[in-house]
């Protein structure tokens, strides 16, 4: 019986497979070997597409005469810097005593492409090839992946998609970069006073640049508009609150050209005029026209995918998407979290059936120990597969990023930012096993001389999942709103709440003054490194053609694996500037 080879994408992953197999391995140059198994590795990509000059030396010179460049057959070559490892892998895969090859590169399109290029260049034939597909690097998951490995041919569609994506990127990049450089390069160089300029074009990169440029044009073309609001201070029992004027059909300003929207004026003089009318005399009397009390619930948010965690880390820690990806990758390799390069924000039904294992492991993680114990002892994890947090239809390659409940010993070796990133992933995960937060909202409308004033108050009644979501490192001001969702509702203390409970329609309140608050419209905000990642993920919404937009609803540009690198490249070539 021949040996089995396990080929991983990088040495660190290969080491984990070696540990999981529990064999007496001998370390050799570029691979590990035991009596039954060989474990080897790539170092990322070992093979790449050849530049045009490899097809014909004349193509090294950029010229309109040689465009477009559309080869009938694409050429590939081993990357010189990793040629030694490629030759080692090639030798191992083609050994006569090797019967089965387990492909253990990253479980995704790019990982598939890495192996298929190696297989192609190494000339692998007459071997059984099986694909190991895993969601974490725990020993249990690795052994399960090996047991359930499918024939590599079942992933041919994924391989075809990877090859097609690479060819499209290659052709667009080479042809458009050359033609635009030949057309505009000299003019740009003259403007920038440089010796030469290359116009870099990429299938995704240029689209992202276009989004950023369009937003910048909107900002620069924006003209601020001042507006003026009238605010009254109302007395109720021993408390007071502010209410804002809004136009109604009864108002003397209804349908006049002086209004800015329904709650302000374009010019200060009209706001002052209204305040003067209502202030004769002071205090004025306001009648409660309506008062509405209702409960509102806020469900735990969906789990993190890579784009969401990149946006969150950008806001919390002021780090780039690329830095966040490196942190999540580190957590993954240390067995702390599941596969990072995912677009899904839900769990699979298969994972939900065994989710108690993940939660049980977190009992040993001090910041959430009590919550994990509470979930396990109360069996709150049961029926999670019947909630919106489980949906097989919304998963392509991998489910959402969640803690494995293992690898906690590695926490000591993490940087502060990495440790905090792990904490927010854990808290988001545990949140889904808790009920919604419950708020009490009181909305009040007052009438004074046929003019209406509105006030609204929102008070937290039951924390629900929010008690889990509060990060140990969060500032006090963020504790009541861990998701960072601001609100325009007024603040209400206990005394005011008690007074509002007794308030009824037609009650009379004293309005002790009318103030004018000036504001101005704001331009669209510039993208930050987190918001641009989310904009890329949801770029389909930006398409103007309604029919086309409907066809690709929910689609984005780039993938969870490439978006951070695209932004890094745009920054490196000087097309954008990222300010932290």
């Amino acid at each position: 019986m021949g040996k089995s080879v396990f080929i991983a994408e990088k040495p660190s992953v290969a080491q984990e497979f070696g540990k999981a197999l529990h064999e007496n391995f001998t370390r050799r140059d570029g691979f590990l070997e035991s009596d039954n198994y060989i474990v080897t590795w790539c170092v990322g990509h070992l093979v790449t597409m050849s530049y045009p000059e490899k097809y014909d030396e004349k193509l090294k010179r950029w010229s309109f005469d040689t465009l477009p460049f559309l080869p009938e057959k694409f050429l590939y070559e081993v990357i010189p810097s990793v040629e030694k490892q490629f030759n080692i892998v090639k030798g191992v895969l083609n050994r006569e005593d090797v019967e089965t090859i387990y492909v253990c590169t990253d479980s995704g399109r790019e990982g598939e492409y890495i192996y298929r290029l190696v297989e192609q260049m190494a000339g692998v034939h007459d071997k059984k090839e099986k694909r190991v597909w895993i969601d974490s690097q725990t020993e249990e998951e690795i052994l399960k992946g090996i047991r359930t490995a499918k024939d590599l041919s079942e992933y041919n569609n994924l391989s075809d998609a990877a090859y097609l994506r690479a060819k499209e990127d290659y052709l667009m990049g080479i042809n458009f970069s050359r033609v635009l450089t030949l057309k505009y390069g000299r003019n740009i160089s003259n403007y920038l006073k440089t010796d030469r300029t290359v116009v870099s074009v990429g299938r995704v990169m240029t689209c992202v640049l276009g989004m950023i440029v369009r937003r910048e044009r909107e900002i620069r073309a924006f003209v601020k508009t001042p507006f003026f609001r009238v605010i009254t201070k109302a007395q109720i029992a021993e408390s007071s609150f502010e209410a804002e004027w809004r136009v109604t059909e009864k108002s003397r300003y209804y349908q006049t050209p002086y209004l800015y929207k329904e709650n302000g004026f374009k010019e200060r003089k009209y706001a002052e005029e209204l305040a003067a009318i209502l202030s004769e005399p002071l205090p004025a009397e306001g009648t409660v026209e309506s008062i509405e009390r209702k409960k509102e619930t806020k469900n735990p948010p969906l789990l993190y995918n890579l784009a969401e965690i990149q946006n969150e880390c950008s806001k919390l820690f002021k780090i780039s998407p690329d830095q966040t990806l490196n942190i999540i990758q580190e957590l993954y390799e240390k067995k702390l979290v599941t596969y990072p390069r995912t677009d899904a924000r839900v769990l699979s039904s298969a994972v939900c059936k065994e989710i108690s294992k993940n939660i049980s492991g977190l009992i040993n993680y001090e910041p959430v120990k009590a919550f994990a114990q509470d979930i396990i002892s109360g069996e709150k994890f049961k029926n999670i597969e019947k909630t919106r947090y489980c949906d097989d239809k919304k998963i392509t390659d991998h489910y959402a990023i969640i803690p494995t409940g293992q690898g906690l010993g590695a926490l000591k070796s993490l940087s502060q930012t990495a440790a905090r990133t792990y904490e927010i992933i854990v808290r988001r995960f545990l949140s889904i096993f808790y009920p919604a937060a419950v708020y009490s909202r009181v909305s009040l409308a007052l009438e004074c001389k046929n003019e209406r004033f509105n006030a609204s108050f929102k008070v937290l009644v039951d924390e629900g999942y929010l008690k889990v979501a509060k990060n140990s490192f969060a500032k006090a001001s963020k504790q009541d709103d861990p998701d960072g969702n601001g609100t325009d509702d007024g603040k209400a203390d206990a005394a005011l709440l008690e007074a509002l409970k007794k308030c009824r329609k037609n009650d009379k309140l004293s309005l002790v003054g009318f103030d004018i608050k000036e504001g101005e419209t704001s331009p669209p905000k510039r993208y930050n490194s987190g918001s641009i990642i989310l904009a890329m993920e949801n770029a389909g919404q930006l398409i103007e053609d309604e029919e086309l937009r409907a066809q690709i609803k929910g689609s984005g540009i780039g993938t969870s694996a490439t978006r951070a690198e695209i932004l890094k490249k745009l920054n490196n070539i000087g097309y954008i500037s990222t300010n932290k």
Side-chain angles (χ1 to χ4, degrees):
M1 185 176 176
K3 288 189 172 184
S4 294
V5 171
F6 297 84
I7 176 168
E9 192 165 313
K10 56 179 73 171
S12 60
V13 180
Q15 293 290 341
E16 295 303 326
F17 272 81
K19 292 176 187 176
L21 290 168
H22 292 290
E23 287 273 321
N24 186 23
F25 283 102
T26 301
R27 187 174 185 90
R28 306 196 187 280
D29 190 11
F31 64 97
L32 309 171
E33 185 168 10
S34 70
D35 292 340
N36 300 306
Y37 305 127
I38 302 170
V39 179
T40 188
W41 53 84
C42 304
V43 280
H45 279 278
L46 300 180
V47 179
T48 188
M49 300 181 79
S50 299
Y51 279 101
E53 52 264 33
K54 293 291 183 178
Y55 294 79
D56 187 336
E57 188 63 31
K58 295 176 184 177
L59 295 174
K60 193 169 186 177
R61 181 178 176 274
W62 292 20
S63 167
F64 283 118
D65 296 334
T66 57
L67 294 173
F69 172 64
L70 300 167
E72 290 185 10
K73 183 180 179 182
F74 287 89
L75 301 181
Y76 298 84
E77 60 189 73
V78 176
I79 300 170
S81 61
V82 293
E83 186 173 7
K84 179 185 176 184
Q85 186 61 23
F86 171 80
N87 288 329
I88 290 170
V89 171
K90 177 181 177 181
V92 167
L93 296 180
N94 287 299
R95 275 175 43 169
E96 290 186 6
D97 61 340
V98 168
E99 182 179 313
T100 305
I101 298 170
Y102 286 89
V103 181
C104 310
T105 48
D106 266 10
S107 304
R109 187 179 66 187
E110 200 63 20
E112 191 70 20
Y113 187 52
I114 286 173
Y115 174 73
R116 297 294 182 122
L117 287 176
V118 169
E119 177 196 45
Q120 173 186 321
M121 292 298 288
V124 177
H125 298 291
D126 304 322
K127 307 287 185 184
K128 291 180 184 176
E129 293 174 294
K130 291 184 173 292
R131 187 59 161 107
V132 176
W133 199 270
I134 58 175
D135 289 300
S136 72
Q137 288 189 20
T138 63
E139 181 176 314
E140 182 183 16
E141 181 73 5
I142 288 172
L143 294 176
K144 178 184 173 184
I146 293 170
R147 284 196 311 272
T148 60
K150 298 178 182 178
D151 192 89
L152 186 65
S153 62
E154 292 195 33
Y155 295 85
N156 283 347
N157 286 344
L158 185 64
S159 171
D160 291 343
Y163 271 95
L164 183 62
R165 193 273 310 160
K167 289 172 183 176
E168 186 177 2
D169 283 352
Y170 177 88
L171 292 175
M172 286 194 71
I174 284 175
N175 285 292
F176 283 99
S177 294
R178 291 191 175 201
V179 75
L180 291 177
T181 299
L182 290 168
K183 180 75 174 174
Y184 300 110
R186 183 171 297 176
N187 291 339
I188 296 172
S189 291
N190 291 338
Y191 177 77
L192 296 175
K193 295 180 172 55
T194 56
D195 181 43
R196 65 182 66 182
T197 299
V198 173
V199 180
S200 296
V201 178
R203 177 179 61 90
V204 177
M205 182 181 78
T206 303
C207 291
V208 177
L209 181 61
M211 290 165 62
I212 295 170
V213 169
R214 181 163 73 172
R215 176 63 61 87
E216 187 64 27
R217 283 175 173 166
E218 289 172 353
I219 293 169
R220 295 187 183 189
F222 187 84
V223 178
K224 292 182 179 179
T225 302
F227 58 88
F228 304 88
R229 298 180 299 137
V230 179
I231 308 294
T232 189
K233 188 173 185 180
Q235 295 268 200
I236 180 169
E238 300 300 317
S239 300
S240 63
F241 62 90
E242 288 188 343
E244 179 184 62
W245 174 82
R246 287 179 181 268
V247 71
T248 64
E249 291 184 14
K250 293 181 181 180
S251 172
R252 54 180 52 81
Y253 296 99
Y254 181 62
Q255 291 186 336
T256 64
Y258 315 135
L259 295 173
Y260 174 78
K261 297 186 176 177
E262 77 283 353
N263 64 332
F265 295 94
K266 296 175 184 176
E267 297 180 54
R268 176 182 283 272
K269 65 179 182 180
Y270 297 109
E272 291 175 340
E273 179 184 80
L274 174 61
I277 293 170
L278 298 175
S279 297
E280 290 294 334
L282 279 179
E285 185 178 81
T287 303
V288 178
E289 194 175 62
S290 67
I291 184 164
E292 182 182 1
R293 302 174 182 87
K294 62 179 181 179
K295 283 189 176 181
E296 293 183 355
T297 58
K298 182 179 180 184
N299 290 315
L302 294 172
L303 297 161
Y304 285 119
N305 61 11
L306 183 57
E308 286 289 334
I309 192 70
Q310 285 171 323
N311 182 50
E312 188 81 358
C313 288
S314 173
K315 290 189 291 186
L316 290 176
F317 312 129
K318 308 301 180 191
I319 59 176
S320 70
D322 191 53
Q323 290 171 304
T324 301
L325 176 55
N326 290 338
I327 286 172
I328 308 297
Q329 182 68 29
E330 179 188 6
L331 297 178
Y332 171 66
E333 291 179 6
K334 290 185 175 179
K335 306 181 184 180
L336 287 161
V337 303
T338 55
Y339 189 74
R341 294 171 177 82
T342 177
D343 292 318
R345 298 190 63 193
V346 293
L347 301 173
S348 67
S349 53
V351 169
C352 286
K353 291 174 183 176
E354 300 180 346
I355 206 67
S356 60
K357 295 178 182 178
N358 302 61
I359 304 166
S360 296
L362 294 173
I363 291 174
N364 298 312
Y365 180 50
E366 195 58 38
V368 299
K369 179 178 180 179
F371 299 120
Q373 287 176 329
D374 180 42
I375 294 168
I376 292 297
S377 61
E379 296 188 332
K380 295 180 178 181
F381 56 86
K382 287 194 172 182
N383 298 319
I384 193 69
E385 67 273 9
K386 296 178 182 178
T387 68
R388 71 185 188 121
Y389 305 102
C390 176
D391 191 340
D392 291 331
K393 294 177 182 177
K394 292 182 179 179
I395 298 172
T396 49
D397 294 340
H398 299 274
Y399 51 81
I401 301 170
I402 61 171
T404 61
Q406 300 185 34
L408 297 177
L411 287 171
K412 296 176 183 177
S413 65
L414 297 178
S415 67
Q416 183 185 72
T417 303
R420 288 179 170 182
T421 301
Y422 177 69
E423 182 182 336
I424 64 177
I425 292 171
V426 169
R427 290 185 181 278
R428 175 64 66 92
F429 169 64
L430 294 182
S431 291
I432 71 172
F433 302 100
Y434 278 83
V438 180
Y439 295 86
S440 175
R441 179 185 288 278
V442 180
S443 300
L444 187 75
L446 297 171
E447 187 176 278
C448 177
K449 297 181 181 179
N450 290 325
E451 302 293 344
R452 177 183 287 180
F453 287 83
N454 290 80
S456 180
F457 307 92
K458 184 177 176 181
V459 181
L460 182 63
V461 176
D462 184 350
E463 281 188 301
Y465 82 91
L466 291 177
K467 61 187 175 186
V468 189
K470 294 176 184 176
N471 298 316
S472 63
F473 55 85
K475 294 179 181 178
S477 60
K478 285 280 186 181
Q479 287 298 301
D480 294 331
D481 190 20
D483 299 322
N485 299 320
T487 173
D488 293 329
D489 296 304
K491 293 182 179 179
D493 58 23
L496 177 56
L497 279 177
E498 192 61 34
L500 289 172
K501 283 181 183 177
K502 299 175 183 177
C503 187
R504 297 290 182 267
K505 185 177 179 179
N506 296 322
D507 281 0
K508 307 297 182 183
L509 302 184
S510 179
L511 309 182
V512 296
F514 297 89
D515 297 319
I516 296 164
K517 290 193 176 180
E518 182 177 350
E520 61 180 15
T521 54
S522 302
K525 290 184 178 180
R526 285 188 175 90
Y527 290 113
N528 59 40
S529 57
S531 63
I532 188 63
I533 288 284
L534 292 182
M536 291 167 71
E537 185 182 45
N538 299 294
Q541 298 173 3
L542 301 175
I543 294 173
E544 293 178 2
D545 184 281
E546 188 174 338
E547 186 176 339
L548 182 58
R549 186 171 64 247
Q551 288 177 5
I552 62 171
K553 183 180 179 182
S555 296
I557 54 176
T559 67
S560 54
T562 62
R563 290 177 188 129
E565 190 62 35
I566 288 162
L567 290 178
K568 186 178 178 182
K569 184 175 180 180
L570 280 169
N571 202 65
N572 289 342
I573 62 180
Y575 282 8
I576 64 171
S577 176
T578 305
N579 299 319
K580 291 187 178 179

